Amino acid sequence: MPQISSLRLLFSSANHHALLTSPLIPKPPLSLSHLFKIKHPFLRTYTHKPRRLLFAAYSRKPKNIERPGSLSGSRRRSSSSSKTENKGKSAMEESSSSAIAESVGFNKRRAEGKDKNDGPRKNLQLKVRKLNPVNTISYVQILGTGMDTQDTTPSVLLFFDKQRFIFNAGEGLQRFCTEHKIKLSKIDHIFLSRVCSETAGGLPGLLLTLAGMGEEGMSVNVWGPSDLKYLVNAMKSFIPNAAMVHARSFGPPVDSSGATDELFVPINDEVVKISAVLLRPRYSKVSKTTKEGSSELDDSLVGVNHLEKKISAERMQSTAEFALKPGDLAVVYICELPEIKGKFDPKKAAALGLRPGPKCRELQLGNSVQSDHQDIMVHPGDVLGPSVPGPIVLVVDCPTPSHMQELSSIHSLTPYYSDPSEQSKEMCKKVDCVIHLSPASVTCTTEYQQWMSRFGEVQHVMAGHQLKNVEIPILKSSARIATRLNYLCPQFFPSPGFWSLPQLKSLPSVSRGPSEFSLPASCQVITAENLLKFHLRPYAQLGLDRSGIPEVTSRPKIIEDLITEIPEIVDASEHITQLLHHGNNIANGGSMTLQANNVVIEEPWLHETALPSCLEGITREDMEIVLLGTGSSQPSKYRNVTSIFINLFSKGSILLDCGEGTLGQLKRRFGIEGADEAVKGLRCIWISHIHADHHTGIARILALRRDLLNETPHEPLVVVGPRQLKIFLDAYQKLEDLDMQFLDCRQTTEASLKTFESGENKDVNGSVGVQNDQKDGSNLFAKGSHMESYWKRPGSPADASAAFPLLAMLKRVLREAGLEALISFPVIHCPQAYGVVLKAADRTNSTGKKIPGWKIVYSGDTRPCPELVAASHGATVLIHEASCEMSL
């Protein structure tokens, strides 16, 4: 039965795959016996007992969690007396505390003081690594995050024997590293070429993952321009300060009036020197030369040295006239390896009176020594052959044409050009590789290509969003599973979207490649590929290395391998299709004959009730639920973190939670253009709680929506979440505008909405929250309630009157989407954790009959609690987050 077991495992992965799509349509019950046309006791057992999945979480979901009202403050008693008292009091406690017992548990480890979460906080330390000046291996490598989805900037890895440096940490970096077995614990420094959601969206999750590694946790150095402080301040709302104490910025403040052409040196040791050059957009010149985004610029600014002084003088004036804002700064990083010492000549050393020994080693390290037999000093140049200059790599991020005007006139880069001025010829340094993170809208301009040609014979790697990379899935393992599941059941598992170049050429958002570059023949230009390397050491291997580039796997090849591995998959796929098309024939009979084989319905109770009246006339084109991510705590090889996309098609869409990488998942599901339309059509984003795996993707979604609707009249997007999320968003908006309106989950509870509808109790003392507390009878001193800060409780008082305009806006937005209400309810997890209810508006059919609206309930992150039970009554679809043991 190995093939049967393999097919069972394949189909069971549908329970947790990151791209599961479920239309709100009642489907015929599918059991594994239907797939195999057999009755098998193990398969039947599996059908009734879903798998229990346990996950470690950086969102801190410990296995044993204290329930509200737990007896953690009770004293321990002897085992004999405890048994006697428990027997004597069991009946009384069962009768007097039956209501509390359903929602209150006893955490024995915490009561005994053994809960590790009660211990001292971790003191995260940087790893002290012993550097190896004579590195045997060194290279730069393209980490292709976002290459296929174009949702984030790729990262660049600078590798040494004892050190690792990463440039940019966009969303999906953790998942990418897991897929390709790149150890995050080896990373020492992270450099940001810009501070925005496109380049730093994966940084919060990465810091939390490192902080949770090992017993003591880890920290990492984070470098960026001066506006990095805004991102750090925003992340403080949910990331321990110990994880960010090594975040450092360079350069003058963004709002400083003076311009700079200074070279900043964050790293300078015996292994590598990393310098940074700041790029500031020159907005004052845009109006005279070109509009933002145009490819036609003044050619007189390129390659003409006698204009550089004039441009430099104008820079101060342009900066003063147009104040920069955070997020405008970009960085060019220069990585210089030390020179390679010449070969040691023992004959020359002997002629100068040196004996073989440690002094020869000192000379090889570059130190002068005293001769053993002569009264002279021996210098390294006396015994070593000619040195070879160390390799130099540039990482360039020029995001807009306005930055290009500054890039072409920076004096700090002059020594690295092949045609320096006469005054700096002796300082000329040969660059070996330039990695361009700049978008194709900039790199395809004449000005940028003329600037590239100034480096002479250099290997240029175009790592911006290029057409060639869109058809190659970066997360191959996930794409392979999605393709297999799509073959088995395309109705539930959409194709992961293997693009072909003919299809992509018609898309306006897809960038052009370097084939259209007009550069001198001496300039070598290639398109970056995932895991492409450029070797720096050993010097004999200097150059490109394509050996690590993953092979391109097509959909037909994946299906062919699947059929070879599990031949029964062909029949199983046909049976599923027939079951879906003939579901009405088995709805009442409990069994049916299919191709002369009896297929037994193992769950006849599923057919005891008829189709819910709220689904009358509903089709797949009316609504579908897309599970963009079902992983817990951090992205994994096969699953992204939590996000649920409620697709209402022509009426818009709603996101329930928005973990890191949500935008990338949208693009994998709907394609490049389809995802953009989905983001533009968002009506609301609802966030359950402040843990990073549920909300760190929201900034990227909001920033993209802002850009897509930049020239279109629109309203800010409504974001509903716990009040800690507002702290993060308010701080982040100092970095880049997110174009949103925030509404506290407390203002969308049932009690708050009733108050809003009635127009009563609008005083600023927050009677809405008090009313909610009085309703459930659980205030700070209520019998059986747990001790918790009054201001951390979901029902704490709030300014209801201030939220009324936003509630009116939310109500109107929901009405336009065909929804009646969005209701939040508190759940048991961390402070300010919520679940949500979505109710569709009632409809009228063709005969005038009133049809009630459907109801979706999402539990959020919670253990079993009465609030969820009450909210789930009458639900059409109930979605359990269920990512820790006690949630199942």
Side-chain angles (χ1 to χ4, degrees):
M1 299 284 291
Q3 293 84 1
I4 297 296
S5 178
S6 299
L7 181 56
R8 178 186 62 79
L9 292 175
L10 171 64
F11 191 75
S12 69
S13 64
N15 294 330
H16 58 264
H17 193 266
L19 290 177
L20 171 63
T21 300
S22 175
L24 191 60
I25 311 172
K27 297 293 183 182
L30 298 180
S31 66
L32 293 175
S33 294
H34 296 160
L35 304 183
F36 310 120
K37 303 182 296 182
I38 61 171
K39 291 180 61 177
H40 193 279
F42 176 78
L43 297 182
R44 183 179 303 176
T45 303
Y46 173 82
T47 303
H48 290 286
K49 295 184 179 180
R51 297 172 65 185
R52 296 174 66 86
L53 304 176
L54 306 181
F55 304 93
Y58 66 60
S59 54
R60 296 196 178 278
K61 305 172 190 172
K63 180 177 180 180
N64 293 320
I65 307 175
E66 181 181 3
R67 291 175 179 254
S70 68
L71 305 180
S72 58
S74 302
R75 292 174 298 176
R76 297 183 61 191
R77 304 178 181 179
S78 63
S79 58
S80 59
S81 61
S82 296
K83 293 179 181 180
T84 305
E85 291 188 23
N86 288 338
K87 290 180 180 180
K89 295 182 178 181
S90 59
M92 180 180 64
E93 290 178 348
E94 185 175 17
S95 60
S96 63
S97 304
S98 58
I100 299 176
E102 295 179 0
S103 60
V104 176
F106 179 73
N107 190 324
K108 183 178 179 181
R109 287 186 56 82
R110 177 165 291 186
E112 295 175 351
K114 297 180 180 179
D115 193 331
K116 64 179 181 180
N117 290 333
D118 294 334
R121 294 184 178 182
K122 291 182 177 180
N123 183 19
L124 306 181
Q125 299 291 335
L126 288 172
K127 280 195 173 182
V128 179
R129 305 186 191 277
K130 184 178 180 181
L131 301 181
N132 179 18
V134 187
N135 284 278
T136 57
I137 299 177
S138 177
Y139 56 81
V140 287
Q141 186 173 29
I142 304 297
L143 306 184
T145 54
M147 278 186 167
D148 55 343
T149 56
Q150 298 195 358
D151 64 307
T152 188
T153 300
S155 299
V156 178
L157 170 67
L158 176 58
F159 178 95
F160 293 96
D161 291 343
K162 300 294 184 180
Q163 281 185 305
R164 312 286 191 275
F165 303 85
I166 281 187
F167 297 87
N168 289 337
E171 290 189 8
L173 179 60
Q174 281 191 84
R175 195 176 180 192
F176 178 90
C177 292
T178 302
E179 168 90 6
H180 298 286
K181 299 180 180 179
I182 298 174
K183 293 184 178 180
L184 296 175
S185 59
K186 298 293 185 180
I187 299 173
D188 299 283
H189 299 268
I190 297 175
F191 291 88
L192 300 180
S193 63
R194 281 177 289 138
V195 185
C196 61
S197 59
E198 187 178 2
T199 59
L203 186 59
L206 182 61
L207 292 177
L208 287 168
T209 298
L210 291 173
M213 285 185 174
E215 292 295 328
E216 295 298 327
M218 295 177 55
S219 185
V220 65
N221 292 287
V222 181
W223 301 89
S226 56
D227 47 6
L228 176 63
K229 65 181 181 180
Y230 297 102
L231 178 61
V232 172
N233 291 336
M235 293 191 299
K236 285 180 180 178
S237 61
F238 63 94
I239 294 181
N241 186 62
M244 298 184 294
V245 295
H246 302 290
R248 306 165 188 173
S249 60
F250 47 81
V254 180
D255 54 359
S256 62
S257 58
T260 179
D261 195 1
E262 186 179 351
L263 200 66
F264 303 96
V265 185
I267 302 293
N268 189 7
D269 54 33
E270 59 267 37
V271 173
V272 65
K273 174 184 176 182
I274 299 181
S275 308
V277 180
L278 291 180
L279 293 182
R280 297 184 176 212
R282 296 172 56 195
Y283 294 121
S284 63
K285 297 298 178 182
V286 174
S287 60
K288 296 180 181 181
T289 56
T290 182
K291 294 182 179 180
E292 190 75 19
S294 172
S295 60
E296 298 297 330
L297 293 173
D298 187 2
D299 290 341
S300 63
L301 296 179
V302 184
V304 183
N305 293 321
H306 72 273
L307 287 180
E308 291 183 353
K309 292 184 178 180
K310 179 180 177 182
I311 294 172
S312 179
E314 292 175 346
R315 192 184 308 141
M316 180 80 71
Q317 178 181 357
S318 67
T319 305
E321 292 176 356
F322 292 83
L324 299 178
K325 59 183 183 296
D328 280 348
L329 294 178
V331 185
V332 175
Y333 288 105
I334 306 170
C335 307
E336 302 178 71
L337 274 64
E339 66 177 7
I340 302 173
K341 302 296 182 181
K343 187 176 181 180
F344 180 78
D345 190 339
K347 293 182 179 180
K348 290 184 178 180
L352 294 173
L354 285 175
R355 294 193 299 265
K359 289 186 178 181
C360 295
R361 174 63 177 171
E362 289 296 321
L363 287 168
Q364 294 180 46
L365 293 176
N367 302 320
S368 299
V369 298
Q370 177 71 39
S371 173
D372 295 321
H373 300 293
Q374 302 178 26
D375 189 17
I376 60 173
M377 290 294 295
V378 181
H379 303 286
D382 299 332
V383 296
L384 298 178
S387 299
V388 179
I392 299 177
V393 177
L394 268 64
V395 179
V396 182
D397 189 355
C398 181
T400 68
S402 299
H403 290 82
M404 180 62 242
Q405 297 181 63
E406 183 80 358
L407 178 64
S408 62
S409 60
I410 289 182
H411 292 287
S412 301
L413 295 177
T414 302
Y416 302 94
Y417 297 144
S418 62
D419 57 344
S421 61
E422 294 294 331
Q423 293 81 358
S424 59
K425 268 189 176 180
E426 66 280 359
M427 301 173 56
C428 181
K429 301 178 180 180
K430 184 181 183 305
V431 177
D432 296 278
C433 179
V434 181
I435 299 175
H436 300 269
L437 302 179
S438 311
S441 60
V442 174
T443 59
C444 289
T445 63
T446 302
E447 181 182 30
Y448 194 90
Q449 294 178 24
Q450 289 181 352
W451 176 79
M452 291 170 58
S453 65
R454 298 177 68 178
F455 290 98
E457 297 182 6
V458 176
Q459 178 65 68
H460 293 278
V461 180
M462 313 309 295
H465 297 152
Q466 303 293 338
L467 174 66
K468 177 181 179 181
N469 293 314
V470 181
E471 65 173 348
I472 306 173
I474 296 300
L475 303 175
K476 292 185 61 177
S477 299
S478 177
R480 178 173 174 269
I481 290 294
T483 302
R484 288 183 159 209
L485 291 172
N486 172 255
Y487 175 81
L488 180 64
C489 184
Q491 293 83 358
F492 285 160
F493 302 97
S495 173
F498 286 90
W499 297 90
S500 63
L501 288 176
Q503 291 176 311
L504 292 168
K505 288 180 179 179
S506 61
L507 299 181
S509 64
V510 177
S511 306
R512 295 179 294 173
S515 60
E516 303 178 26
F517 282 16
S518 55
L519 293 173
S522 59
C523 294
Q524 304 177 42
V525 183
I526 65 166
T527 298
E529 297 180 73
N530 185 30
L531 300 183
L532 174 70
K533 290 181 181 179
F534 187 90
H535 278 285
L536 305 174
R537 297 276 173 83
Y539 189 76
Q541 299 181 8
L542 183 71
L544 293 173
D545 179 7
R546 299 176 179 269
S547 61
I549 297 176
E551 296 181 359
V552 179
T553 304
S554 63
R555 174 184 171 84
K557 174 62 175 175
I558 295 176
I559 300 303
E560 178 183 348
D561 293 343
L562 173 63
I563 295 175
T564 302
E565 179 183 346
I566 312 175
E568 290 82 359
I569 196 74
V570 178
D571 293 337
S573 179
E574 294 177 357
H575 295 160
I576 291 177
T577 301
Q578 295 185 40
L579 284 171
L580 293 175
H581 289 155
H582 300 85
N584 292 332
N585 297 332
I586 64 172
N588 298 321
S591 64
M592 65 171 292
T593 301
L594 185 63
Q595 295 184 354
N597 292 290
N598 291 329
V599 181
V600 178
I601 298 297
E602 297 180 0
E603 300 86 3
W605 55 270
L606 288 174
H607 308 289
E608 294 177 359
T609 58
L611 180 72
S613 59
C614 63
L615 298 182
E616 181 180 334
I618 292 287
T619 65
R620 189 188 186 102
E621 287 68 32
D622 291 318
M623 204 279 278
E624 70 175 356
I625 302 172
V626 184
L627 303 182
L628 298 174
T630 57
S632 171
S633 90
Q634 65 187 65
S636 62
K637 185 175 182 179
Y638 296 104
R639 299 192 290 176
N640 204 57
V641 287
T642 305
S643 183
I644 301 172
F645 183 72
I646 308 297
N647 190 5
L648 302 174
F649 296 91
S650 61
K651 295 181 181 180
S653 56
I654 292 178
L655 267 178
L656 306 180
D657 279 335
C658 189
E660 176 190 336
T662 294
L663 178 58
Q665 291 293 89
L666 281 172
K667 299 214 171 191
R668 293 182 183 95
R669 167 62 181 89
F670 297 106
I672 302 295
E673 296 294 300
D676 288 348
E677 293 300 319
V679 171
K680 289 194 292 186
L682 280 173
R683 298 287 187 175
C684 173
I685 298 179
W686 182 90
I687 303 297
S688 61
H689 62 289
I690 196 62
H691 284 165
D693 56 327
H694 289 257
H695 81 272
T696 49
I698 190 171
R700 188 74 192 101
I701 292 285
L702 293 173
L704 176 62
R705 180 181 180 271
R706 174 205 63 208
D707 295 339
L708 294 173
L709 299 176
N710 185 34
E711 299 181 357
T712 304
H714 66 281
E715 291 184 339
L717 185 66
V718 178
V719 175
V720 183
R723 62 178 177 268
Q724 298 102 316
L725 180 64
K726 185 177 189 300
I727 299 174
F728 165 70
L729 294 176
D730 286 347
Y732 189 89
Q733 286 204 110
K734 295 179 181 179
L735 182 62
E736 58 178 332
D737 179 32
L738 297 180
D739 193 21
M740 62 93 191
Q741 292 278 2
F742 184 83
L743 187 61
D744 196 324
C745 279
R746 293 179 300 164
Q747 306 296 353
T748 61
T749 60
E750 187 172 8
S752 297
L753 293 176
K754 287 181 179 179
T755 301
F756 168 72
E757 293 292 341
S758 64
E760 298 176 355
N761 301 326
K762 298 181 182 179
D763 60 273
V764 295
N765 292 325
S767 57
V768 173
V770 176
Q771 181 181 3
N772 190 27
D773 287 347
Q774 293 173 349
K775 181 177 179 180
D776 60 24
S778 58
N779 58 45
L780 182 63
F781 302 105
K783 182 178 180 180
S785 65
H786 61 292
M787 296 296 292
E788 184 179 2
S789 171
Y790 187 56
W791 297 103
K792 290 184 178 181
R793 300 177 64 245
S796 301
D799 186 354
S801 61
F804 276 17
L806 291 178
L807 286 171
M809 179 181 178
L810 176 62
K811 182 178 180 180
R812 175 175 53 79
V813 168
L814 294 176
R815 184 172 62 249
E816 293 172 353
L819 301 178
E820 178 182 299
L822 181 152
I823 304 173
S824 304
F825 55 91
V827 296
I828 303 175
H829 187 46
C830 63
Q832 299 296 311
Y834 293 87
V836 69
V837 175
L838 285 177
K839 290 184 179 180
D842 295 342
R843 298 172 289 116
T844 303
N845 62 13
S846 57
T847 62
K849 177 184 175 182
K850 184 178 180 180
I851 302 175
W854 44 260
K855 177 180 177 181
I856 296 177
V857 179
Y858 170 47
S859 69
D861 233 350
T862 182
R863 293 177 287 134
C865 63
E867 291 82 0
L868 176 60
V869 174
S872 302
H873 287 163
T876 311
V877 176
L878 172 59
I879 305 173
H880 286 279
E881 207 270 5
S883 61
C884 59
E885 183 181 22
M886 299 189 70
S887 296
L888 299 177

